[in-house]
Amino acid sequence: MSEKEDLAKQKAAAAAKAKAAALAKKQAKEEAAEKPEGEIDIAKQKAAAAAKAKAAALAKKQAKEEAGEKPEGEIDIAKQKATAAAKAKAAALAKKQAKEEAGEKPEGEIEIAKQKAAAAAKAKAAALAKKQAKEEAGEKPEGEIDIAKQKAAAAAKAKAAALAKKQAKEEAGEKPEGETDIAKQKAAAAAKAKAAALARKQAEEEAGEKPEGEIDIAKQKEAAAAKAKAAAAAKAKAAAAAAKNRTAVQESGEVDTPSEISLNQSKLDQIVSAIESHVGQGALLENYINRLSKDVPTLVANPDTYFSIAKFLRYDEQLDFSYLSDLHGTDFESHMEIYVHLHSFKMNQSVALKVKLDRDAPVIPSLVPLWSGANWPECEAYDLLGINFYEHPDLKRILLGEDWKGYPLRKDYEPYDVEV
């Protein structure tokens, strides 16, 4: 078919269309003049529908004719154009009709119509979104579906909480104060239960979807955490027990004797051997390494051999403990004790000499003839504890007056004058 014939056909179709439209318009006017207002609206709608149907049939017929003459590619394009034109025409007609109806309807009805239209649009959008979500879910991998589920669950939870809150507010506005509190508590409990159930369900779903390897790893992590917690608790318990034991040792005055041999043990053995050789086998009651005092070798003398041992330590050429650094007394309630700390520059070694005294009559020889540095420490022990050092050149009270009653460092001391 030539281009001229196509053009002629199109012109003929357009003329027929225009004629049909004019005829429909004229007929509508005539009917409108004869009919009441309500019938006019119905007539308009019918006429519009008829015109629409007629136009669609005509367009369909024309499309068929053209399709019979055109190649396949042109037929598709023509179909698309015809569909688009029909769509645009229908939209324009609907818009025009809506305007005409709006002009004729009262304000209240217009608002109702608007609300209905909005509701319908909303419902349509929701249905479309739902459909799209289903389609996407069908295409998404498993991980994305889980995330989408979680998001949907969270959104549903938030929506439910908001709705419950709103409902609670409305109910609270109507109820007295006491009932409001109860209602709040019930609502909170219900929300809590709902959230717990949802979390449980979600956990079950996730556990059901997880591969066996991941479940095992989760179990191992939980077991490791429990193990670490138990270990920490055991460690804390052990530390507390060790601290308790240390305190008990310090309070009891017992000597800590660990399994490791002290570096000073050989020196102690040398000193003890020399004393027993020169003073006698029973001269020492005891000897040990004092772990609580820098591993100092400690000698416990018999009161009868106290001075002899001190003299040997002072003047023996091999030992030569020429320096007395400390001397003090202590009340142990069951007995008194003198502690003397000596140092040998020749051996580069310190040693402690101790002696236990009767508490009721604490008497011991003075060491001033051996070390002049023992003068004031012995006077102090006499002044505060009442220990008598015989053969001391000038034993006297140096801190308290000669008329002072009692000895302040004794455990059973009671002041003679309470006000003082």
Side-chain angles (χ1 to χ4, degrees):
M1 190 180 283
S2 65
E3 288 180 6
K4 286 183 181 180
E5 286 174 357
D6 286 343
L7 191 62
K9 273 190 179 181
Q10 287 171 9
K11 282 181 180 179
K17 217 172 185 182
K19 195 173 179 182
L23 185 64
K25 196 174 181 184
K26 186 181 176 185
Q27 193 175 352
K29 279 182 181 178
E30 287 171 0
E31 287 174 359
E34 294 166 6
K35 289 177 182 177
E37 194 175 343
E39 289 180 16
I40 290 166
D41 289 340
I42 294 162
K44 276 184 182 177
Q45 289 170 7
K46 284 181 179 177
K52 206 172 179 181
K54 196 172 182 181
L58 188 64
K60 197 174 180 184
K61 186 182 176 185
Q62 192 175 351
K64 278 183 182 177
E65 288 172 359
E66 288 174 359
E69 295 162 7
K70 288 181 182 176
E72 194 175 343
E74 290 181 16
I75 290 165
D76 290 340
I77 295 162
K79 275 184 182 177
Q80 288 170 8
K81 284 181 180 178
T83 306
K87 235 177 184 177
K89 195 171 180 183
L93 187 64
K95 196 175 180 183
K96 186 180 175 186
Q97 192 175 350
K99 280 184 182 177
E100 287 171 0
E101 287 174 0
E104 292 164 8
K105 284 181 182 176
E107 194 176 344
E109 288 183 17
I110 292 166
E111 286 178 8
I112 292 162
K114 278 184 182 177
Q115 288 170 6
K116 283 182 179 177
K122 219 172 184 179
K124 196 174 180 181
L128 185 65
K130 196 174 179 182
K131 187 183 176 185
Q132 193 173 353
K134 280 184 182 176
E135 288 172 0
E136 287 175 359
E139 293 165 8
K140 283 181 183 176
E142 193 176 343
E144 290 183 18
I145 292 166
D146 288 343
I147 294 162
K149 276 185 183 177
Q150 289 171 7
K151 284 182 179 177
K157 204 173 179 182
K159 198 172 180 183
L163 186 64
K165 197 173 179 184
K166 187 181 175 185
Q167 193 174 354
K169 280 183 182 176
E170 287 171 2
E171 287 174 358
E174 295 164 8
K175 288 179 183 177
E177 195 175 344
E179 290 182 18
T180 304
D181 291 341
I182 294 162
K184 276 184 182 176
Q185 288 170 8
K186 283 182 180 177
K192 224 174 184 177
K194 196 173 180 180
L198 186 66
R200 193 174 171 186
K201 188 182 175 185
Q202 193 173 351
E204 283 177 2
E205 286 173 0
E206 287 176 0
E209 290 165 9
K210 279 182 183 175
E212 193 176 342
E214 288 183 19
I215 293 166
D216 290 342
I217 290 161
K219 280 184 180 177
Q220 286 169 10
K221 283 182 180 177
E222 285 176 12
K227 215 171 184 178
K229 199 174 179 182
K235 197 175 180 182
K237 197 174 179 182
K244 196 176 178 182
N245 289 338
R246 281 197 299 272
T247 307
V249 168
Q250 287 170 2
E251 286 176 356
S252 64
E254 291 178 5
V255 180
D256 183 16
T257 55
S259 57
E260 289 182 13
I261 298 172
S262 171
L263 295 172
N264 289 333
Q265 186 63 49
S266 59
K267 298 282 181 71
L268 176 61
D269 293 341
Q270 181 189 344
I271 295 165
V272 170
S273 177
I275 290 169
E276 287 178 347
S277 298
H278 292 84
V279 181
Q281 287 291 329
L284 291 172
L285 296 176
E286 191 183 354
N287 65 85
Y288 57 86
I289 298 292
N290 191 345
R291 298 282 186 177
L292 300 178
S293 182
K294 300 180 182 179
D295 280 19
V296 64
T298 304
L299 310 169
V300 182
N302 190 309
D304 298 335
T305 57
Y306 168 69
F307 187 80
S308 301
I309 292 168
K311 188 177 180 179
F312 176 74
L313 293 172
R314 170 70 181 85
Y315 293 115
D316 183 76
E317 291 182 2
Q318 300 298 321
L319 303 179
D320 192 21
F321 284 94
S322 59
Y323 177 60
L324 184 147
S325 61
D326 184 27
L327 185 153
H328 65 262
T330 308
D331 180 12
F332 285 96
E333 293 186 291
S334 60
H335 64 278
M336 293 284 187
E337 188 174 276
I338 294 293
Y339 177 94
V340 183
H341 195 273
L342 305 170
H343 186 77
S344 169
F345 293 100
K346 191 171 187 177
M347 292 179 69
N348 190 24
Q349 180 64 47
S350 294
V351 71
L353 176 63
K354 294 168 74 174
V355 61
K356 294 178 182 180
L357 307 175
D358 181 8
R359 192 172 183 275
D360 296 330
V363 179
I364 198 76
S366 172
L367 297 183
V368 174
L370 304 176
W371 294 280
S372 59
N375 189 344
W376 284 94
E378 286 183 352
C379 286
E380 183 184 34
Y382 166 73
D383 191 6
L384 301 176
L385 288 163
I387 298 172
N388 190 6
F389 296 89
Y390 64 86
E391 295 185 5
H392 187 284
D394 186 20
L395 191 64
K396 62 183 177 181
R397 289 195 174 220
I398 57 173
L399 299 173
L400 305 172
E402 288 294 337
D403 58 347
W404 189 274
K405 306 291 182 184
Y407 304 99
L409 288 187
R410 287 200 177 207
K411 299 290 176 69
D412 57 356
Y413 172 71
E414 291 181 7
Y416 178 75
D417 189 347
V418 179
E419 291 181 5
V420 174

